[in-house]
Amino acid sequence: MRRVRNGRNYMTKSNFTRRGLLKTSAGAGAGLALPTVFTGAVWAEKHTGFTNAPQGDTVTLGFNVPQSGPYADEGADELRAFRLAVEHLNGEGDGGMLNTFSSKALEGNGILGKKVDFVTGDTQTKSDAARASAKSMIEKDGAIMISGGSSSGVAVAVQGLCQEAGVIFMAGLTHSNDTTGKDKKANGFRHFFNAYMSAAALAPVLEKLYGADRNAYHLTADYTWGWTQEESIAAATEALGWNTVEKVRTPLAATDFSSYIAPVLNSGADVLVLNHYGGNMVNSLTNAVQFGLRSKQANGKQFEIVVPLYSELMARGAGQNIAGIPGSQNWDWKLENQMGDRYTGTNAFVQSFGTKYGFPPSQAAHTCYAQTLLYADAVTRAGSFNPCAVVEALEGFEFDGLGNGPTLYRADDHQCFKDVVVVRGKENPENEFDLVEIVEVTPAEQVTYPADHEMFAGGSLGECNPGA
């Protein structure tokens, strides 16, 4: 049984036995008295026996982001956020969201009194390269936690590696249902939302904008994120009455989508759904506009384009082509100003980030910053860097003040549940950082699904692995 009081986890003996952390009377250590509730003090006694247990006065975190490839812009912003988070954890700067976080365990003195250091790697938006980079950070640099990434294929690969190595993986920007579905792992946690949530939030808005009688043509990035995004948005729109005309997969490495756009013109579709992200989305949207889709009439209706997931960074790359295009976001830098103090923490983060870098942060930056704080907080509340202690501290953890409103880290799948932001490209933006307008914010309750939902079927968390 798991109990949550005042945003903190209280772990029972049964949880620890389940994860192989304690011996029962039938095994080694029989006859020893075991406490029924474990505290940070008990965990703190276990300084060794897990991968890369920090022995000196520093602790090393590994930030693995795309510094090259189609998602490099997102990766650059993630690195900015990671650097800022480390500064705040070490007591530098203005403290950012440490000041608004509902948990008050962090004091700006590192993590458990150890100064935070970090190393970085380039995922190249390739699973093999990402695994190699993470492996090097763990084995050569002593990283005790890995975070980052802007591709779900990368996230799934690195999450699996971290499970094997016995370190915590705090996923960066990963939106595939599979990350916390069939490929979920006990050592992995996702703060970012997923494809199902995007579709659940976006579909009602699409019905209001375009009606229930529509014919959709999907162009989809050919990897785990694209597949589950396509599945989710198709299911949600078909439930409204939309018809799916065609689903076409496109290579992640593609830069020119002209040959994929041309068939849309005579397909009978009146909506193009671009299940693309990063540079792929910028290029495919640009090609669609060049082919005249936005000025086309089809089936007696104005032809429309939908991008289920996009960011301010992508909007900047797309320029005026993003105007009027609906989509969804995990977070937006204007959220607290426009939607109120439910989203406390947003302004604190924007202020810190803007002061350091001269422009507002992206949703990729936000989720990576939040994940770093959440990891540090879990270690502090647990009183130990032991990965299994961190897992116990994060499972079922309810928190606020990190910009998304009240949020739950669900124990069943290690997925965060929070409000989802539905956006649209601004018709008349005031500046290059104000290209997206918030249409509405969908409450977490409307995007929450049972852990055994069919889109997340298969796989299991398994047991926490402390490694060495």
Side-chain angles (χ1 to χ4, degrees):
M1 178 178 66
R2 182 175 297 102
R3 298 189 289 275
V4 179
R5 301 175 187 159
N6 300 321
R8 297 186 62 170
N9 277 337
Y10 290 76
M11 290 76 75
T12 66
K13 172 184 170 184
S14 61
N15 284 337
F16 285 73
T17 303
R18 172 174 59 89
R19 295 188 178 277
L21 302 172
L22 295 176
K23 301 294 184 181
T24 64
S25 59
L32 295 177
L34 297 177
T36 56
V37 176
F38 280 72
T39 66
V42 174
W43 278 118
E45 294 174 7
K46 298 199 179 252
H47 300 298
T48 59
F50 55 94
T51 300
N52 292 338
Q55 299 300 308
D57 58 3
T58 63
V59 59
T60 301
L61 308 182
F63 302 140
N64 204 22
V65 307
Q67 298 181 55
S68 58
Y71 297 168
D73 287 346
E74 307 283 336
D77 224 35
E78 289 182 346
L79 271 186
R80 295 182 188 107
F82 281 133
R83 291 190 178 99
L84 187 63
V86 168
E87 288 181 10
H88 291 167
L89 289 173
N90 287 332
E92 303 167 15
D94 62 8
M97 288 199 288
L98 263 67
N99 301 314
T100 59
F101 190 11
S102 57
S103 172
K104 301 305 177 185
L106 297 172
E107 299 178 350
N109 62 343
I111 306 177
L112 292 183
K114 296 181 184 292
K115 182 180 178 180
V116 181
D117 285 341
F118 67 93
V119 292
T120 67
D122 181 8
T123 69
Q124 303 174 40
T125 318
K126 298 175 181 176
S127 297
D128 289 346
R131 278 182 65 97
S133 178
K135 187 172 187 289
S136 177
M137 288 190 282
I138 294 168
E139 294 182 350
K140 296 180 180 179
D141 300 309
I144 195 168
M145 180 273 275
I146 301 294
S147 187
S150 295
S151 156
S152 291
V154 162
V156 168
V158 175
Q159 181 167 257
L161 173 75
C162 289
Q163 181 69 33
E164 296 164 9
V167 301
I168 292 294
F169 177 61
M170 300 296 285
L173 196 160
T174 168
H175 192 245
S176 170
N177 293 338
D178 292 346
T179 307
T180 46
K182 72 179 183 64
D183 295 309
K184 58 184 173 286
K185 301 294 181 186
N187 284 39
F189 290 84
R190 171 163 59 181
H191 173 265
F192 206 71
F193 69 150
N194 58 43
Y196 175 93
M197 295 175 179
S198 280
L202 189 55
V205 175
L206 294 178
E207 184 178 26
K208 292 176 188 175
L209 291 173
Y210 308 135
D213 180 22
R214 283 286 182 166
N215 295 283
Y217 192 111
H218 291 254
L219 290 183
T220 301
D222 193 13
Y223 76 108
T224 178
W225 169 68
W227 306 333
T228 66
Q229 179 61 79
E230 177 190 273
E231 177 187 30
S232 297
I233 194 67
T237 53
E238 286 170 6
L240 300 175
W242 286 28
N243 174 50
T244 300
V245 174
E246 191 67 80
K247 297 176 179 178
V248 177
R249 304 288 169 83
T250 62
L252 183 59
T255 56
D256 184 348
F257 293 87
S258 300
S259 62
Y260 296 99
I261 298 293
V264 179
L265 295 168
N266 299 309
S267 66
D270 46 52
V271 175
L272 172 62
V273 181
L274 293 175
N275 299 304
H276 290 156
Y277 197 74
N280 288 164
M281 172 273 195
V282 172
N283 291 331
S284 62
L285 178 59
T286 299
N287 289 155
V289 172
Q290 290 171 341
F291 271 78
L293 288 186
R294 298 206 67 180
S295 58
K296 177 181 170 62
Q297 293 283 318
N299 304 322
K301 306 178 183 70
Q302 178 66 42
F303 197 98
E304 304 292 351
I305 300 175
V306 176
V307 180
L309 174 70
Y310 70 88
S311 68
E312 292 266 6
L313 287 174
M314 292 157 59
R316 203 176 310 163
Q320 62 182 8
N321 292 334
I322 200 66
I325 301 291
S328 66
Q329 293 184 171
N330 186 65
W331 174 87
D332 186 275
W333 68 271
K334 304 177 292 295
L335 199 51
E336 187 173 351
N337 283 342
Q338 294 187 11
M339 307 305 291
D341 59 8
R342 175 178 174 84
Y343 304 103
T344 294
T346 290
N347 286 349
F349 179 52
V350 172
Q351 176 67 31
S352 295
F353 192 98
T355 298
K356 185 173 179 64
Y357 299 113
F359 48 85
S362 65
Q363 62 177 348
H366 172 260
T367 202
C368 287
Y369 179 97
Q371 284 285 69
T372 308
L373 263 58
L374 285 163
Y375 170 79
D377 175 75
V379 170
T380 304
R381 288 186 290 110
S384 174
F385 289 97
N386 188 311
C388 296
V390 175
V391 169
E392 291 289 344
L394 283 172
E395 285 189 336
F397 181 50
E398 296 179 74
F399 59 92
D400 202 350
L402 293 186
N404 292 109
T407 304
L408 165 69
Y409 241 132
R410 188 162 70 178
D412 297 300
D413 48 14
H414 297 181
Q415 171 68 55
C416 269
F417 287 84
K418 52 196 181 325
D419 298 351
V420 170
V421 186
V422 178
V423 298
R424 182 167 52 191
K426 270 194 171 183
E427 297 288 351
N428 298 296
E430 296 178 7
N431 55 63
E432 64 177 313
F433 305 113
D434 186 36
L435 301 175
V436 173
E437 62 183 359
I438 298 171
V439 176
E440 68 177 46
V441 181
T442 304
E445 295 77 17
Q446 293 183 30
V447 299
T448 298
Y449 52 86
D452 61 354
H453 189 282
E454 62 181 1
M455 288 188 185
F456 299 82
S460 67
L461 283 175
E463 300 296 323
C464 147
N465 179 22

